[in-house]
Structure formats: C-alpha cells, structure tokens
Amino acid sequence: EKKKKLDVPSKPELATSLSPDHPFYNEVNEVVSNHLRRLLTEDQELKDDWQCIVDQGDLKVFKRELEENGVPLDPMKAVCTVKGMTGHEVCHYFWAFDTRMEWEATLESSRVVEWLSDDTFISNNIIKRVWPASQRDACFWSHMRHMNKSNDEGPDSWIVVNYSCEHDDCPPTKYVRITMNVALICETIIEPPSNGNITRDDITCKITYTADVNPGGWAPASVLRAVYKREYPKFLRRFTTFVEEKTRNKDIMF
Ligand code: 16C
C-alpha cells in the first residue's frame, strides 16, 4: 500500500557552504562520499567481519580487530535507534561546538582552531589521560551536511564527519596526536499519524556511528580495547539523552 504523503515542512536542499576554492573543499567532499559508499555496503560488512561487542537491543557496538606494528587500530561501528528526535537534531548537536563539553565525558578541553564555513570548523580536543599511556589530543575538521534523497519515499538523512587534519595554530607539540575518521549518519523515520500532525512520538532516528581511530603511538591494546568497550556505548547513551533533553520541549527541527 502506498504511504500517505506526509506534510513535512519543506526545507531547502543544503549543499555545503564551503567554497569550492577552499583548500579543504575536495578533501571534505571525498571523505563524506566515502562514508556514504561505506554505509551502502554496511549490512554486508556487519555480516562478514564485524564482531558484536555490546548488544543492548536498541544499541549495538561492533569492532574489527586490527593492529599495525603493535598499535591497535580497531575500527568501531555502532548502531542505535532513538525515539523522539530527528536526524537533523542529532547531527546538529553532535556537530555543534558550543555544547560539545556538555555531553563529551572523555575530553579535558576543546577549542575552535578555525571556522572554515558555516558548516565546517577545525577544533583541538584534549582527551583525558588513560593510565598508563601518555595523554592524547586531536586536531580535526567537523562538517555537517544534509544528504540528497535518492527517492521521495526514502528517509531524510544527515551526516557529520570529524576528520583529522593539520593546522599551523594547532601543532602536535604537547601531547601524543591521535588521528581519526569519525562519522555519524542519521536517518529519520516518521510513522504517519492518522491526523497528519507529526509529534515527537511519531519520530524515530536511526544512528550509525563509525570511528577509525589511530592512537598515534604505543598504547596497550588490552587497556585500549577495554576502554573502547566501556566508552563507546556510554558516549551514545549520554549523547542521545543529552539531545533528548535539549529538544524535548522545542519545535521539531526536520
Ligand atoms: O565521536 C566522539 N566525539 C567527537 C567529538 O569530540 C570526536 C572525537 C573522537 C575521538 C574518539 C577517540 C579517542 C581515542 C583516544 C585514544 C586514547 C588512547 C589512550 C591509550 C589507552 C591505553 O569525534 C565520541 C567519542 C567517544 C569516545 C569513546 C572512546 C574514547 C576513549 C578515550 C579515552 C578517554 C577515557 C576517559 C575516561 C573517563
């Protein structure tokens, strides 16, 4: 049966506000495209070589064990389903710098290094120290984008990518510099209400989070793996609870 056409307020298609002349323009587009391509092969990947390390029903965390010269590089992937918020809202708060420290429990501090455009900025995150390893930091661009729909019936999707870069105002002098390629992809599913008036009860957001992190030098694999197993689900619970609290009594941001 064909679904009733929903009365979702229309919003302009958002392309990136980063100028094509910007030195980061090609890299940002390429990294975003790679994530979308990866997402399309996701089910296959999850079946093949991803190991489920946390299964809480609505929240699952997977990893692939990978080491290079003794440095653990385990790619992580998490899928999480939350009710009452849109993908645009979830991506907005994952990207927004001004509220990052309200949900980030693994950071000592964070600062903006440079704004590249309305949807892209570079920041420096100093990560809390994990005994017995040296303290780490990261320098990365954060970019948020609305995804073009492949068809009218498909879910509305948004993506945020945090990708390591170098910057003259952020030299890796004080801490061990980690590098990463992190993506948060959200799809909004709307259960059509009979009266056509969409409320938060009708909305579900499917989150796919992937993190490829290189700890940037020696780190004891067993400690790191234990920290990841504990911290990734904790981050997703804490972050989605934060978004729920932020959006609860606000108009829905489609
Ligand atoms: O994606 C997340 N946050 C973003 C915005 O800040 C951003 C950050 C990503 C970095 C995530 C990886 C950090 C790995 C650090 C490796 C440290 C090596 C130490 C050696 C240990 C033996 O994209 C959410 C990120 C959720 C992070 C979960 C795992 C982080 C472990 C960090 C360790 C700090 C633990 C502090 C315990 C209170």
Side-chain angles (χ1 to χ4, degrees), residues 94 100 103-107 125 127-134 136 138 140 162 178 180 182 209 211 213 215 218-220 223-224 227-228 230-232 234-235:
F94 185 68
R100 184 178 283 171
W103 58 266
E104 259 286 13
T106 62
L107 296 184
N125 276 4
I127 299 152
K128 286 180 182 166
R129 181 166 178 251
V130 183
W131 184 90
S134 327
R136 266 57 178 182
F140 56 91
N162 290 340
I178 69 160
M180 64 189 195
V182 170
Y209 173 88
V213 176
W218 180 82
V223 179
L224 192 68
V227 171
Y228 281 178
R230 186 188 68 214
E231 293 299 327
Y232 280 106
K234 209 161 127 186
F235 140 63

Side-chain angles (χ1 to χ4, degrees), residues 108-131:
E108 197 163 285
S109 64
S110 186
R111 71 177 171 102
V112 172
V113 176
E114 187 185 343
W115 276 95
L116 307 184
S117 62
D118 283 352
D119 54 19
T120 315
F121 65 97
I122 294 175
S123 66
N124 182 202
N125 276 4
I126 299 168
I127 299 152
K128 286 180 182 166
R129 181 166 178 251
V130 183
W131 184 90

Side-chain angles (χ1 to χ4, degrees), residues 9 17 28 48 52 56 60 90 133 141 163 180 190 199 204 207-208 211 222 226 240-241:
S17 63
V28 169
D48 289 352
C52 183
Q56 300 174 352
K60 292 187 176 67
V90 174
W141 52 254
Y163 189 86
M180 64 189 195
I190 300 173
T199 69
T204 302
I207 304 171
T208 304
S222 61
T240 52
T241 303

Side-chain angles (χ1 to χ4, degrees), residues 84-218:
M85 55 192 100
T86 66
H88 188 185
E89 290 170 329
V90 174
C91 279
H92 169 79
Y93 284 104
F94 185 68
W95 174 83
F97 178 78
D98 58 342
T99 46
R100 184 178 283 171
M101 293 305 283
E102 291 178 45
W103 58 266
E104 259 286 13
T106 62
L107 296 184
E108 197 163 285
S109 64
S110 186
R111 71 177 171 102
V112 172
V113 176
E114 187 185 343
W115 276 95
L116 307 184
S117 62
D118 283 352
D119 54 19
T120 315
F121 65 97
I122 294 175
S123 66
N124 182 202
N125 276 4
I126 299 168
I127 299 152
K128 286 180 182 166
R129 181 166 178 251
V130 183
W131 184 90
S134 327
Q135 192 161 16
R136 266 57 178 182
D137 82 339
C139 178
F140 56 91
W141 52 254
S142 296
H143 173 78
M144 177 164 84
R145 185 181 298 198
H146 182 231
M147 274 144 48
N148 286 325
K149 271 189 183 189
S150 47
N151 65 65
D152 266 3
E153 303 289 315
D156 193 54
S157 307
W158 285 79
I159 180 169
V160 174
V161 177
N162 290 340
Y163 189 86
S164 281
C165 63
E166 292 178 6
H167 194 287
D168 287 348
D169 297 340
C170 190
T173 43
K174 207 168 163 198
Y175 306 100
V176 175
R177 177 64 50 93
I178 69 160
T179 52
M180 64 189 195
N181 183 0
V182 170
L184 185 88
I185 299 172
C186 294
E187 295 173 320
T188 308
I189 297 137
I190 300 173
E191 202 55 55
S194 48
N195 63 5
N197 191 12
I198 300 166
T199 69
R200 292 200 176 271
D201 293 339
D202 309 311
I203 299 174
T204 302
C205 177
K206 188 188 163 199
I207 304 171
T208 304
Y209 173 88
T210 60
D212 290 350
V213 176
N214 184 325
W218 180 82

